[in-house]
Amino acid sequence: MHKKVYSKNLSLVPRLVKLAHKFNRFYLEGQGKNECKPFIVEGHQVGLVRMDFVDLLKKYPEVFEIKSNSVVLNPAFRDYNERTKKVESVLMECRQNNSFIALNGWRDEYYEIRPVFSSEPLLKMDRSATCLFGICKYGVDINGYVRHPDRGICIWLQKRSTTKPTWPGKWDNMVGGGLSEGFGVLETAYKEAEEEASIPSHLLKNLSSGGCVSFFYESEQGLFPNTEFVYDLELPLDFVPKNNDGEVDTFQLLSTQELLELLFSTDFKTTSCPVVVDFLIRHGVVTPENEPEYPRLVELLHVPLQSIYRHNVKSNGAL
């Protein structure tokens, strides 16, 4: 039933590609237009720094070497702990001085910085600061859905608390969270499912991996190259999510048609849109038959972030 409803509204179809351009704003538009410098740690490019932040980092030459074509973390810092400590000292001062709005979201939750996902971490950084360095981040999302006898496939969404430091009051995936220091992918999925939606362990046994999506977004706060590990979870019709951590205002069950309309509004968290679009593709709601730019749309859900930064850079930071 939901497929027929979608295909009747062909005016919605091109908007999906426009939406994909929105959450890939930097990947499609920024790299050739904005002046940014690669961020180099131990000979690896792990990020990209916009010029407003580069100018501030010039005040800390003992920590960051500002070269003509890169920002290099002082190679004298030889281990994970020392690199972490030196970078955090700069970030704490920036935070105290209210230098960047991104740091208003500081929450003492750390992300580990790696050249690629499979690499050993080089340092860790508070999650609020990673966008200032254009660090590739990883997260986990769970699509909770039901097969409704009358409405077809319906998906649960959460409305974020208005006190959240990012995207307050916006609609979001049912469960989602960043991959923090010390947590694995599936471990994070279980943790976030319990904290955000009170999903019991016997239901979580039905988690099904849906792969991952990746995108490169830019906002006034910074750069967001993100990879999200995606899980689907079919839920009983009588299950209703309940928040445990105070970060969700409410949950709502939407049909795919209602979901599409919400995606195109300003009420949905932009960086969660790829997870929803991917779900609609994998479950046959968006198809090559009703989406003329289907291959382009699928490509924009899988930006090559694992190879977008250059690695094994020369020791002097030259690219």
Side-chain angles (χ1 to χ4, degrees):
M1 179 179 178
H2 58 280
K3 294 181 185 178
K4 293 180 181 178
V5 171
Y6 179 71
S7 60
K8 286 179 181 178
N9 289 275
L10 295 179
S11 62
L12 294 177
V13 174
R15 296 163 69 189
L16 283 172
V17 174
K18 292 179 182 178
L19 181 64
H21 277 250
K22 183 178 179 181
F23 57 68
N24 273 310
R25 183 180 300 163
F26 186 81
Y27 177 69
L28 294 170
E29 302 172 6
Q31 294 190 79
K33 296 179 181 179
N34 295 339
E35 290 187 7
C36 297
K37 290 181 182 289
F39 178 44
I40 311 299
V41 180
E42 284 295 291
H44 299 279
Q45 182 185 357
V46 297
L48 203 58
V49 187
R50 295 195 301 200
M51 291 308 298
D52 55 347
F53 194 43
V54 171
D55 290 340
L56 186 145
L57 295 181
K58 290 177 181 178
K59 299 178 181 179
Y60 306 94
E62 70 284 359
V63 179
F64 299 98
E65 299 178 359
I66 311 300
K67 300 182 179 295
S68 62
N69 60 352
S70 63
V71 175
V72 181
L73 184 63
N74 191 335
F77 308 148
R78 292 298 181 180
D79 60 36
Y80 176 98
N81 290 331
E82 186 177 14
R83 294 183 204 113
T84 298
K85 182 179 179 181
K86 295 296 185 180
V87 171
E88 181 153 324
S89 67
V90 173
L91 293 174
M92 290 298 291
E93 187 171 323
C94 292
R95 182 187 175 199
Q96 292 167 3
N97 294 335
N98 294 315
S99 301
F100 292 93
I101 59 173
L103 298 180
N104 293 340
W106 192 285
R107 59 183 75 179
D108 294 317
E109 180 181 350
Y110 290 91
Y111 287 175
E112 293 190 312
I113 313 306
R114 310 167 187 266
V116 293
F117 182 70
S118 59
S119 304
E120 289 297 314
L122 299 171
L123 70 156
K124 66 180 179 181
M125 185 182 296
D126 190 86
R127 62 179 296 177
S128 65
T130 53
C131 64
L132 297 175
F133 290 93
I135 301 294
C136 289
K137 297 183 292 297
Y138 301 91
V140 178
D141 293 85
I142 299 177
N143 296 304
Y145 71 99
V146 301
R147 299 185 186 273
H148 196 279
D150 300 318
R151 302 168 68 194
I153 292 181
C154 295
I155 189 167
W156 282 103
L157 296 181
Q158 64 157 277
K159 190 171 188 180
R160 296 164 66 88
S161 169
T162 55
T163 61
K164 292 275 285 185
T166 57
W167 306 98
K170 299 293 185 181
W171 287 99
D172 199 351
N173 302 313
M174 181 187 73
V175 171
L179 205 62
S180 300
E181 173 198 14
F183 287 89
V185 176
L186 191 58
E187 186 181 9
T188 297
Y190 273 72
K191 177 176 73 73
E192 296 293 339
E194 195 281 327
E195 291 177 356
E196 292 195 348
S198 303
I199 302 174
S201 57
H202 72 275
L203 291 181
L204 288 173
K205 292 178 181 178
N206 298 321
L207 271 181
S208 173
S209 175
C212 61
V213 298
S214 53
F215 55 93
F216 204 150
Y217 176 69
E218 179 178 18
S219 75
E220 62 176 353
Q221 293 192 14
L223 304 179
F224 299 84
N226 282 32
T227 294
E228 300 291 323
F229 296 96
V230 179
Y231 290 90
D232 291 348
L233 179 61
E234 185 171 356
L235 294 165
L237 282 170
D238 60 354
F239 176 79
V240 178
K242 181 180 179 181
N243 182 241
N244 268 333
D245 61 7
E247 296 189 355
V248 178
D249 275 352
T250 189
F251 291 93
Q252 187 169 342
L253 186 66
L254 277 70
S255 69
T256 54
Q257 182 64 24
E258 292 169 330
L259 178 60
L260 279 164
E261 291 293 344
L262 185 58
L263 278 182
F264 298 132
S265 76
T266 58
D267 296 327
F268 201 90
K269 179 188 172 193
T270 301
T271 53
S272 292
C273 289
V275 174
V276 175
V277 175
D278 174 70
F279 177 89
L280 295 173
I281 289 173
R282 290 186 292 102
H283 287 264
V285 179
V286 177
T287 70
E289 286 71 37
N290 62 28
E291 172 51 79
E293 296 193 65
Y294 185 87
R296 177 66 167 161
L297 180 61
V298 173
E299 285 181 357
L300 289 172
L301 296 175
H302 301 93
V303 172
L305 297 182
Q306 295 301 289
S307 56
I308 203 167
Y309 290 159
R310 298 187 63 180
H311 306 295
N312 297 317
V313 181
K314 295 179 181 178
S315 60
N316 65 358
L319 297 176

